[in-house]
Amino acid sequence: MTSSRRYSDQDVEHYDRPRRRGSRPRTKERPTYDDAVDGVVVTVDRGRFTVVVGGQQIWAVKARPLGRKGVVVGDRVRVVGDVSGAEGSLARIVEVEPRTTVLRRTADDDDPVERVVVANASQLVVVTALADPEPRHGLIDRALVAAYDAGMAPLLCLTKADLADPETLLATYRALGVPWVVTRRDDDGLGGLAELRERLAGRASVLLGHSGVGKSTLVNALVPDAGREVGQVNAVTGRGRHTSTSALMLPLPGADDTPDGWIIDTPGIRSFGLAHVQPEHLIEAFPDLDEMTEDCPRGCTHAADEPECGLDEAVARGEADPDRVASFRRLLDARSVPPYLV
Ligand code: ZN
């Protein structure tokens, strides 16, 4: 439970002044780095960061003034030092911009520490095969909870539609209003894949999916250079493959070499601990339902067994869609199921 403290905005106030030669007196002002350049963190590998600056990859470490402040994939940062990106070069990250969203995972069997996984992504794409392997509702529900809690818009990407009809699965999620795209293995580039590209354009999206669902195929179709980019990172860090918890941010090809959005692949994330998610925060993702809980008893979790929950009263009055309320409660329940049982 330390991460919420570790990543709090308070830490920004604790920055040290930059080091200067001589005996210049320390001032109370926050340091300004006139020569710093803006960048985006695209990978993290044991204390080494790959940062994209002006369309080019460079390598950096955290500068001392950042102290224990975490820097994660998706962070917008300010960098000083050798920003040439030349072999062996190493710049320093001196500032981290405030985050717009934070995707977290609670400590679980895979990872004993609660962590921020990705910062500043606005969409979470849950990639699920319609068959082979069979879709697992528990996993989808957990990913949706993580998205809503992070303030990210969810998108269902249902693959292998040539094997099974998406309708059965979609029926489960329709009441929640989750948007979806459907792809086929024989996609000619004009079907679901084109629609997915449209939905990814101009924003940063995290792709989440388990092995065998076709996530890697999608990543390769969306970013034809993905393999090369990863290889490049590894060559420079000299540390082999990414650590299992790492995420990898890739630019979607746009006109004039300008990225038309970003996708963040999460190869190491197999489960999503959700113990940190609070009911009052989750329901804020559903403003229509949130409104109906104004008169709930103090401490009401809005679960089905709450005696006087406003959601039940709204359903009884015919003001709430019972399917939507039931779906929301299914998500609430998904929080408390240990990831290894899903
Ligand atoms: Zn309630």
Side-chain angles (χ1 to χ4, degrees), residues 79-97:
V79 183
V80 299
D82 186 346
V83 295
S84 67
E87 181 145 9
S89 68
L90 208 51
R92 286 174 298 126
I93 298 171
V94 291
E95 283 184 59
V96 181
E97 303 285 339

Side-chain angles (χ1 to χ4, degrees), residues 67-138:
R68 292 178 60 197
K69 185 178 175 66
V71 179
V72 301
V73 169
D75 264 327
R76 298 185 191 108
V77 294
R78 308 253 301 149
V79 183
V80 299
D82 186 346
V83 295
S84 67
E87 181 145 9
S89 68
L90 208 51
R92 286 174 298 126
I93 298 171
V94 291
E95 283 184 59
V96 181
E97 303 285 339
R99 294 165 176 162
T100 56
T101 65
V102 165
L103 180 63
R104 289 174 195 280
R105 58 184 295 175
T106 300
D108 60 29
D109 288 357
D110 279 353
D111 186 343
V113 182
E114 179 182 327
R115 291 180 196 279
V116 173
V117 183
V118 174
N120 301 322
S122 64
Q123 184 166 245
L124 183 73
V125 184
V126 186
V127 185
T128 306
L130 289 162
D132 188 27
E134 289 297 310
R136 290 158 74 186
H137 289 257

Side-chain angles (χ1 to χ4, degrees), residues 6 11-12 14-17 30-31 33 49 61-71 75 77-78 92-97:
R6 197 165 6 122
D11 294 341
V12 175
H14 297 158
Y15 287 179
D16 290 326
R17 267 65 55 182
R30 218 176 131 195
Y33 295 92
F49 301 87
V61 291
K62 267 197 308 187
R64 291 176 66 108
L66 287 183
R68 292 178 60 197
K69 185 178 175 66
V71 179
D75 264 327
V77 294
R78 308 253 301 149
R92 286 174 298 126
I93 298 171
V94 291
E95 283 184 59
V96 181
E97 303 285 339

